[in-house]
Amino acid sequence: SASIGCLMDIHRLLQEKGGAVRLSGLQPRVETMISMTGVHKIVPLHRDAEDARAAARDAERAVMATS
């Protein structure tokens, strides 16, 4: 699907700049599509925006700890 391709382009562009895509609060149908295509192995899925922000903070702390 074009949407998956677009999402992967955004993921790649952000990753090149040290960023990351995180998805949260997906409708069940969208979450199923993300899982069926394997995107969930590349782009983390979170229950809600708060969980996504917490995971992003944890990832940033892990990077800082290894620097």
Side-chain angles (χ1 to χ4, degrees), residues 16-60:
E16 288 173 0
K17 300 203 179 286
V21 173
R22 294 179 180 278
L23 300 176
S24 65
L26 299 178
Q27 294 178 1
R29 185 173 141 216
V30 174
E31 188 169 349
T32 297
M33 181 186 66
I34 294 291
S35 294
M36 286 175 57
T37 58
V39 172
H40 68 289
K41 296 176 184 176
I42 300 166
V43 176
L45 304 181
H46 301 279
R47 183 174 42 94
D48 55 34
E50 186 176 328
D51 284 351
R53 284 190 295 270
R57 283 190 300 269
D58 292 346
E60 180 67 22

Side-chain angles (χ1 to χ4, degrees), residues 1-14 21 23 30 33-34 37-40 42-43:
S1 127
S3 299
I4 296 294
C6 208
L7 178 61
M8 296 313 297
D9 286 344
I10 292 168
H11 165 73
R12 181 184 48 78
L13 290 169
L14 284 173
V21 173
L23 300 176
V30 174
M33 181 186 66
I34 294 291
T37 58
V39 172
H40 68 289
I42 300 166
V43 176

Side-chain angles (χ1 to χ4, degrees), residues 59-67:
E60 180 67 22
R61 285 185 194 118
V63 168
M64 297 290 235
T66 60
S67 298

